[in-house]
Amino acid sequence: MRSAPLIALDSPDPEAVDGRQIRAAAFQDVRLTYTFTVLEGLGRAASGRALVMGGGRGLLARGLARLGFEVTAVDPSRAATAMARTAAERAGLAIEHRAAPAEDPGLPAAAFDLVYLADTLEITSDPDRVIARAAHALKPDGILVYDTVNRTVLSRLVYLVAFQRLPMTRVVPAGRYAARRLRKPAEVAALVARHGLRHAETCHFKPRSARSLISAVLGRRRGRITDDEIASLTDFQLAPGTSPLVTYLGHARKV
């Protein structure tokens, strides 16, 4: 193990600390639980075609496929897309993975029952175009689900300072996150409404405790735990009815 960990996104190096994958692992359960809850509330089954925009190494895409969806995933990183494709093949899941940006995914109109925006709204400098492309891809009455980062004092401390500046807790390269790309729930709801989508709600989600999150980050940086162990340690939980301090999910329907 290196004296200082290699901080790199989408790296094939097994010792690299990839904050993007750490985040995907930590969020996996709440992402799937929230999506299933939304579908159940609308009287729908987890079936049909689903699109993941910002698919990364494919963890969410594989989860949706196991729920019963026929999944397509797009991501701007060719390295992440290659790793996602390999992981899907090993799992025996027929997922279509494409290397393409969320701003221009090159997908047909009205083709998907569900679109999930993951690792995207807090990264893109053009959220309006991302939402437009997602709405374009949705079938009439299709569902958009997303998660993102609020713009608060606490979210800035977590994402801009702890995750990418502090030597002890840094897990992403500098510049991955920026204050101007963190978006308040009302801003996302307004974006969605401009593109023929009826925003339904936002839902706060958070780790079991700040201590559990810090312990998981430190453990992963020191090579004491793997990405697969992140979820059980952080234990992210939905917190409906509370104000989102850092992260939140939401959904809308195409009208």
Side-chain angles (χ1 to χ4, degrees):
M1 185 72 180
R2 300 172 175 87
S3 56
L6 169 65
I7 307 296
L9 303 183
D10 311 325
S11 171
D13 188 331
E15 292 188 358
V17 174
D18 181 351
R20 188 182 186 206
Q21 181 64 6
I22 289 172
R23 191 170 181 268
F27 290 4
Q28 177 76 345
D29 288 347
V30 291
R31 283 172 165 172
L32 292 175
T33 298
Y34 181 76
T35 301
F36 185 81
T37 301
V38 167
L39 292 170
E40 188 176 47
L42 294 172
R44 301 189 188 185
S47 61
R49 299 188 68 193
L51 169 66
V52 179
M53 298 172 76
R57 298 189 189 190
L59 195 58
L60 179 57
R62 295 193 295 277
L64 291 173
R66 290 187 178 106
L67 282 181
F69 283 103
E70 178 186 343
V71 183
T72 296
V74 298
D75 192 85
S77 168
R78 292 188 178 277
T81 300
M83 286 186 278
R85 189 177 291 119
T86 297
E89 290 171 354
R90 287 175 177 169
L93 297 170
I95 298 170
E96 180 183 1
H97 286 282
R98 300 184 182 190
E103 296 83 357
D104 190 17
L107 294 166
F112 297 93
D113 302 280
L114 172 77
V115 173
Y116 196 117
L117 294 178
D119 202 28
T120 297
L121 288 177
E122 66 277 8
I123 301 301
T124 183
S125 58
D126 193 353
D128 191 72
R129 184 169 178 81
V130 168
I131 298 293
R133 294 298 88 201
H136 175 80
L138 274 173
K139 294 178 180 179
D141 206 36
I143 302 168
L144 172 74
V145 180
Y146 64 86
D147 62 76
T148 192
V149 183
N150 201 354
R151 189 173 65 252
T152 64
V153 172
L154 183 57
S155 69
R156 288 186 178 100
L157 288 173
V158 173
Y159 275 82
L160 308 186
V161 179
F163 286 171
Q164 64 182 20
R165 292 184 189 173
L166 286 183
M168 183 181 295
T169 55
R170 190 168 74 92
V171 292
V172 295
R176 173 69 175 172
Y177 301 106
R180 68 183 181 278
R181 298 196 298 268
L182 307 184
R183 313 188 197 282
K184 291 183 176 293
E187 295 170 352
V188 176
L191 278 172
V192 163
R194 283 208 294 269
H195 295 285
L197 302 175
R198 182 175 297 147
H199 195 265
E201 66 168 2
T202 58
C203 180
H204 181 202
F205 70 103
K206 60 184 179 178
R208 179 175 67 250
S209 67
R211 183 176 181 179
S212 67
L213 177 61
I214 293 168
S215 295
V217 168
L218 293 178
R220 181 63 187 86
R221 276 180 51 92
R222 294 166 182 168
R224 294 175 181 170
I225 63 171
T226 65
D227 292 335
D228 291 339
E229 296 172 276
I230 293 289
S232 62
L233 291 171
T234 54
D235 189 21
F236 270 82
Q237 303 167 352
L238 298 175
T242 63
S243 179
L245 298 175
V246 180
T247 50
Y248 63 97
L249 301 112
H251 77 278
R253 294 171 69 181
K254 186 172 183 177
V255 295

